[in-house]
Amino acid sequence: MLRAIKYELKPNKTQQSLIKKTCGYCRLVYNIMLDKKIKAYELDKTKLSAFDLMKHTTLLKNEKTFLRDVPSQSLQQSINNLDKAFKNFFRSGNKGFPKFKKKGQKDSYRIPSPCVIDYNNWNVKIAKIGKVKIYKGHNKQIDGVIKSYTISHTSTDRYYISVLYE
C-alpha cells in the first residue's frame, strides 16, 4: 500500500534558488510541450505521445542549455503530467482542456526515484540540490521503500517535500 509523508524543508538561499529554478524550468517544459502538442494537432491532426515529446526535450536541452542544470527526471515527469492531463480530458469530459501553467501557482516538481532521509541529522538528500534540512517537529518516520518525492514551493515562501513510500 502506498502512503505519503510531507515534511517542511529549511533550504539555504542557494538551495531555495535551485528549487525555484527547477520549478520554473519544469513549468517551461510543460508549457512548451503543450504548445507543441496543440500546434501539431492543428497543423495536420498529428497526436504527439509522451515519448515523442521526450525526444523533443532532448533537442530542447541542446537549444536551451540552462535546462541541463535541473534533474532530467523532473523534466520527463512534467511531460508525463501533461500526457496524463490529456488522457484525463479525453476520458472524462468534465475535466477541462489542459491549461498553460502560471508562475506562483502550485510550483512543484516530482522525481520518480528514492531520496535519502537522515533522521539523525534531520536532512534529506535531493537530486542536484544536495542535503537540505528538515524541520524536527515532524515525528513520523518512514518505515518502507521510498518510491518518489515531490518538492513544492508555496506563495508564502515555504518549501515542502512529500515522500511517497510503500
Side-chain angles (χ1 to χ4, degrees):
M1 176 165 65
L2 294 176
R3 303 189 118 202
I5 289 182
K6 191 173 192 176
Y7 298 107
E8 188 170 356
L9 298 173
K10 287 195 290 189
N12 59 32
K13 294 290 182 189
T14 57
Q15 291 169 338
Q16 286 178 6
S17 68
L18 286 171
I19 290 172
K20 288 178 183 177
K21 275 184 188 178
T22 306
C23 290
Y25 295 164
C26 288
R27 181 177 57 249
L28 175 72
V29 168
Y30 182 94
N31 289 340
I32 288 172
M33 295 306 161
L34 176 59
D35 185 54
K36 190 174 288 293
K37 198 165 181 157
I38 290 170
K39 286 182 178 174
Y41 186 76
E42 287 175 348
L43 191 66
D44 57 355
K45 304 289 187 222
T46 305
K47 294 180 182 176
L48 297 175
S49 67
F51 183 73
D52 295 331
L53 294 176
M54 284 185 199
K55 282 195 257 181
H56 287 292
T57 306
T58 309
L59 300 173
L60 190 64
K61 276 186 175 181
N62 293 334
E63 183 181 316
K64 299 181 187 300
T65 56
F66 57 84
L67 290 176
R68 295 180 186 154
D69 297 341
V70 299
S72 61
Q73 294 172 333
S74 62
L75 300 177
Q76 292 170 353
Q77 198 62 43
S78 65
I79 292 172
N80 287 339
N81 292 345
L82 174 64
D83 194 50
K84 188 174 182 181
F86 268 99
K87 285 179 182 173
N88 287 341
F89 171 70
F90 287 114
R91 274 195 204 124
S92 59
N94 60 356
K95 298 258 185 193
F97 188 79
K99 294 179 177 69
F100 291 97
K101 292 189 179 277
K102 296 178 185 172
K103 183 178 181 179
Q105 295 180 352
K106 297 181 183 177
D107 281 343
S108 66
Y109 67 93
R110 182 174 43 205
I111 296 185
S113 65
C115 60
V116 180
I117 301 175
D118 180 12
Y119 289 107
N120 296 328
N121 298 321
W122 287 97
N123 59 33
V124 60
K125 189 167 189 278
I126 300 172
K128 295 242 180 163
I129 293 177
K131 291 184 179 180
V132 181
K133 292 184 180 182
I134 303 173
Y135 279 103
K136 294 180 185 175
H138 207 298
N139 293 332
K140 294 182 183 175
Q141 295 185 2
I142 295 173
D143 55 344
V145 179
I146 297 175
K147 296 294 184 181
S148 67
Y149 60 97
T150 303
I151 306 291
S152 58
H153 170 245
T154 64
S155 59
T156 57
D157 217 27
R158 294 174 81 176
Y159 299 87
Y160 295 95
I161 182 169
S162 180
V163 182
L164 184 70
Y165 67 98
E166 189 168 16

